[in-house]
Amino acid sequence: MLKYGYTLRVNEKSDVYSFGVILMELVSGKRPIEPEFGDNKDIVCWVLSNLKNTERVLRMVDSSIPEPLKEDVVKVLKIAILSTQKQPELRPTMRAVVQVLEDADPCKLVSVVVSREG
């Protein structure tokens, strides 16, 4: 999100970055900036710092997401990580992100979102 302010250029790769941040928010239940991330740290830094082992990755997943869906949610998190790479040329295209999300079958996750709103 802060990428726009530094470059003043908005393009597909910056859109992919922003979408990756949103995916991280959905997976973790966290906002882009939280006090628990530390000074000058955002959700992207927090996620990257928690990739050391499977247990830490699973602890990042929002606790309201049922256990049977966590494997699918981790797939979404992987897409978010690819989408927020520092070098824009390494980020996937939005078309590729959509394809991977469709392959991950996110329709199973809709019930989680609906139940949180209701």
Side-chain angles (χ1 to χ4, degrees), residues 1-3 17 21 24 31-34 37-49:
M1 303 286 220
L2 298 173
K3 300 288 180 197
Y17 184 93
V21 170
M24 288 178 179
R31 295 180 181 266
I33 298 176
E34 296 268 357
F37 301 159
D39 290 339
N40 300 318
K41 302 253 172 141
D42 59 19
I43 195 167
V44 176
C45 293
W46 179 74
V47 166
L48 294 176
S49 71

Side-chain angles (χ1 to χ4, degrees), residues 43-61:
I43 195 167
V44 176
C45 293
W46 179 74
V47 166
L48 294 176
S49 71
N50 280 290
L51 297 178
K52 293 176 178 46
N53 61 51
T54 305
E55 183 181 315
R56 287 180 77 167
V57 170
L58 291 174
R59 270 192 275 151
M60 279 192 292
V61 175

Side-chain angles (χ1 to χ4, degrees), residues 9-117:
R9 289 183 294 155
V10 178
N11 57 37
E12 182 189 25
K13 297 298 183 167
S14 57
D15 288 347
V16 169
Y17 184 93
S18 296
F19 189 70
V21 170
I22 292 167
L23 290 177
M24 288 178 179
E25 290 179 65
L26 292 171
V27 166
S28 68
K30 307 272 187 210
R31 295 180 181 266
I33 298 176
E34 296 268 357
E36 71 181 271
F37 301 159
D39 290 339
N40 300 318
K41 302 253 172 141
D42 59 19
I43 195 167
V44 176
C45 293
W46 179 74
V47 166
L48 294 176
S49 71
N50 280 290
L51 297 178
K52 293 176 178 46
N53 61 51
T54 305
E55 183 181 315
R56 287 180 77 167
V57 170
L58 291 174
R59 270 192 275 151
M60 279 192 292
V61 175
D62 189 331
S63 62
S64 68
I65 296 174
E67 194 65 38
L69 298 178
K70 288 197 176 186
E71 188 176 319
D72 292 317
V73 171
V74 170
K75 290 177 189 174
V76 173
L77 184 61
K78 287 178 184 177
I79 298 164
I81 292 164
L82 288 173
S83 298
T84 55
Q85 293 190 68
K86 285 188 183 208
Q87 294 178 300
E89 61 274 5
L90 297 177
R91 296 176 200 151
T93 63
M94 191 53 108
R95 182 179 304 263
V97 169
V98 169
Q99 183 61 54
V100 175
L101 282 173
E102 287 175 345
D103 293 345
D105 196 15
C107 294
K108 292 186 273 187
L109 304 175
V110 171
S111 64
V112 174
V113 174
V114 171
S115 67
R116 288 182 83 184
E117 292 175 357

